[in-house]
Amino acid sequence: MHDTYRHKGLRKKLVDEVRSKGIRDESVLEAMNRVPRHLFMDSGFVHFAYRDQAFPIGAGQTISQPYTVAFQTELLQVRKHDKVLEIGTGSGYQAAILVEMGAKVYTIERQKELFLKTQSLLPAMGYKPRFFYGDGYEGLPAFAPFDRILITAASREIPPKLLEQLKTGGRMVLPLGGEGSQVMTVVVKTGEEEYEKEEHGYFVFVPLLKGKSQDKL
Ligand code: SAH
């Protein structure tokens, strides 16, 4: 698992590109500068790691575009020691960014293949979020409430159980909408039964699917 000067140089360029596209939160950009994104790709594709593009990671899923990861993370307004729930572990790249920012991260993936792969990859790189195999729609009632909830797949609704598991005063960031494109939405929980919604432009995500995958692993 090498991180060379060349990778570091490419990464700095990527961070500059993401900054030039409008990301202002230096704590997000710093985290992005530290996480070796090429280690999240299969070895034949490492040269794609430092392009500002989404990329397939197997099981029909993708590692989100760096700009999108930065945008969602900036909207989340993560503070050190925040308890953060991520839905859609995927490659684990977003989880690593959150761990770098000092958050206590809980991450759920419904595809067993990805769950198993990421659960061994991330700790080998020094990132230790808590991994869960299951349906993110259900959240993690045993560990609730959360300061922040980040959904990294397209959802047609604000999942009610996740809203319940968000602290009052907490923030949830999710791409809201069906196939095609979704509106990046911030939900701020203003009271036990109340929330406010902000909208932040259009993005394209893979869908949030109900239930666990049927992989026989
Ligand atoms: N955060 C990821 C990007 C993931 S793409 C990264 O940094 O690489 C979206 C992920 O959400 C996919 O891995 C998909 O399998 C997962 N997913 C979709 N529906 C889900 C659900 N209901 N619960 C948990 N994970 C889900």
Side-chain angles (χ1 to χ4, degrees):
M1 293 233 226
H2 288 303
D3 190 24
T4 65
Y5 280 110
R6 194 176 75 87
H7 291 126
K8 288 190 171 91
L10 290 171
R11 197 147 70 236
K12 190 168 178 312
K13 271 198 192 154
L14 173 67
V15 169
D16 288 342
E17 186 179 343
V18 167
R19 185 187 284 107
S20 76
K21 290 180 178 171
I23 302 300
R24 290 283 165 267
D25 185 338
E26 285 300 322
S27 65
V28 174
L29 295 166
E30 255 172 49
M32 193 164 258
N33 206 20
R34 285 196 297 265
V35 177
R37 193 168 192 269
H38 62 283
L39 300 181
F40 293 80
M41 314 278 210
D42 290 333
S43 56
F45 301 108
V46 293
H47 51 291
F48 288 102
Y50 295 110
R51 296 189 190 168
D52 191 22
Q53 287 175 4
F55 202 76
I57 52 172
Q61 299 303 323
T62 56
I63 177 171
S64 303
Q65 182 183 346
Y67 172 75
T68 306
V69 172
F71 192 79
Q72 281 202 293
T73 311
E74 182 168 74
L75 290 177
L76 201 61
Q77 298 182 5
V78 181
R79 303 156 305 179
K80 267 204 172 115
H81 311 303
D82 268 351
K83 232 166 108 180
V84 180
L85 174 62
E86 180 195 24
I87 311 300
T89 312
S91 69
Y93 178 69
Q94 172 74 71
I97 296 279
L98 294 169
V99 171
E100 275 286 359
M101 293 176 74
K104 277 196 282 178
V105 180
Y106 298 72
T107 183
I108 312 180
E109 173 57 55
R110 71 180 287 282
Q111 298 247 22
K112 194 146 207 186
E113 182 188 336
L114 290 175
F115 161 77
L116 291 172
K117 188 170 165 189
T118 305
Q119 191 189 33
S120 64
L121 177 74
L122 249 67
M125 289 167 54
Y127 298 115
K128 294 182 179 142
R130 296 184 69 162
F131 297 95
F132 298 85
Y133 169 54
D135 180 0
Y137 272 106
E138 301 297 320
L140 293 172
F143 298 92
F146 296 94
D147 300 292
R148 302 285 186 263
I149 297 179
L150 176 59
I151 306 184
T152 68
S155 181
R156 289 178 186 272
E157 53 165 0
I158 300 169
K161 291 187 182 166
L162 296 184
L163 193 55
E164 242 171 59
Q165 292 172 31
L166 187 62
K167 272 188 196 166
T168 299
R171 297 166 75 80
M172 182 187 321
V173 175
L174 75 162
L176 198 56
E179 268 169 63
S181 75
Q182 305 87 36
V183 178
M184 189 62 77
T185 304
V186 179
V187 174
V188 182
K189 189 159 168 182
T190 49
E192 200 50 46
E193 303 282 328
E194 286 156 39
Y195 65 88
E196 283 166 11
K197 241 169 71 175
E198 299 164 9
E199 297 187 341
H200 293 272
Y202 290 91
F203 287 80
V204 180
F205 281 79
V206 296
L208 194 64
L209 300 171
K210 295 219 166 151
K212 288 187 200 176
S213 65
Q214 300 304 311
D215 317 12
K216 304 229 171 8
L217 285 176

